[in-house]
Amino acid sequence: MQSVFEESLPRPSVEAVRGEMLPSAWVLQPITRHVREVVRVIYLLQVDLGTPSLPQRLLGSVARRQASVLAELDSLFSL
């Protein structure tokens, strides 16, 4: 999958955000749940929404959670 720049699409504005999808990944993690072996499927997606695409209140919320998300990813890949 790859983002495509298409001139016919709306330009970024207050009502529209034009983002770009960047490389992504599937993580397949075998786990045991209720005595059964299952596979946890995680899809990691990188998106660049450009600037200034997010309202300031939402941007603050995302920034506060960023450290915990990185710590969770670190623990996931350190297994």
Side-chain angles (χ1 to χ4, degrees):
M1 182 179 343
Q2 179 178 348
S3 292
V4 177
F5 185 78
E6 176 57 51
E7 284 294 330
S8 66
L9 296 173
R11 302 296 303 161
S13 67
V14 174
E15 293 85 25
V17 173
R18 183 180 246 176
E20 177 181 4
M21 290 182 64
L22 302 168
S24 325
W26 291 94
V27 177
L28 304 176
Q29 182 182 39
I31 61 172
T32 303
R33 174 172 248 162
H34 305 295
V35 195
R36 289 184 51 207
E37 296 257 337
V38 296
V39 176
R40 176 182 292 154
V41 178
I42 302 169
Y43 183 63
L44 302 173
L45 174 66
Q46 293 184 85
V47 178
D48 179 2
L49 297 176
T51 55
S53 61
L54 296 175
Q56 190 61 37
R57 62 180 173 73
L58 184 56
L59 189 58
S61 173
V62 169
R64 283 190 298 276
R65 299 186 75 188
Q66 185 176 13
S68 66
V69 169
L70 291 175
E72 286 179 34
L73 286 173
D74 180 53
S75 68
L76 175 67
F77 292 115
S78 297
L79 296 175

